[in-house]
Amino acid sequence: MSSSPVLLFDLHGTLADVSALILHPQLTDCFVNQEAEELCTRYTCILITAGSQAEVEQVFKQTSLNQKISFVEVITAAEGGAEKASGKPFLVLQEKYDRIIAMIGDSDADEQGARASNIPCIRIAAQPTLPEQQAELTRAIKRAIALS
């Protein structure tokens, strides 16, 4: 079991606008700014998404997300064994990692799944501009870190 503190991240709407990236291949933006990137270097980061492996790979290829945050594990809908809201993917992670600080996400499924496994969830809201969305994510990471 890993003992370093763990942050869980949702992908779509939390770290990137996946729908926009898929529709517009010329887009390269993710929601991780330099401050968020630096905060994440002190933690084990895991991506937990309702999306597919193909979606994750496209986002990683199209953006610099996987260079900004080094994910030790990516749990997709198929790999999680159940929908996030069930809590099952979170429980599987708790068997591997004993210091999960929080889930950072933007949906009811993120909150429900985290709650089902007694992991705090920091929920972020959609913002109208990229800099505001990046600031919202950074604030969420700081709130999660404050829980540790």
Side-chain angles (χ1 to χ4, degrees), residues 108-127:
D108 291 343
D110 297 327
E111 282 188 313
Q112 291 165 358
R115 189 179 318 114
S117 55
N118 295 314
I119 296 172
C121 183
I122 309 296
R123 188 158 177 173
I124 66 169
Q127 301 298 313

Side-chain angles (χ1 to χ4, degrees), residues 65-87:
L65 178 60
N66 61 333
Q67 283 91 39
K68 292 182 178 216
I69 298 178
S70 179
F71 294 104
V72 298
E73 198 165 345
V74 175
I75 305 296
T76 64
E79 294 155 340
E83 293 184 16
K84 278 196 283 186
S86 74

Side-chain angles (χ1 to χ4, degrees), residues 40-122:
C40 288
T41 61
R42 303 179 210 143
Y43 297 87
T44 298
C45 296
I46 297 172
L47 184 64
I48 181 169
T49 178
S52 68
Q53 186 64 37
E55 258 183 2
V56 172
E57 289 172 11
Q58 181 169 351
V59 171
F60 283 178
K61 182 179 175 185
Q62 200 167 326
T63 71
S64 59
L65 178 60
N66 61 333
Q67 283 91 39
K68 292 182 178 216
I69 298 178
S70 179
F71 294 104
V72 298
E73 198 165 345
V74 175
I75 305 296
T76 64
E79 294 155 340
E83 293 184 16
K84 278 196 283 186
S86 74
K88 185 176 179 185
F90 297 93
L91 293 170
V92 168
L93 289 171
Q94 284 178 317
E95 292 175 11
K96 294 168 135 179
Y97 303 95
D98 60 354
R99 293 188 59 208
I100 298 176
I101 297 170
M103 169 66 184
I104 299 172
D106 70 322
S107 71
D108 291 343
D110 297 327
E111 282 188 313
Q112 291 165 358
R115 189 179 318 114
S117 55
N118 295 314
I119 296 172
C121 183
I122 309 296

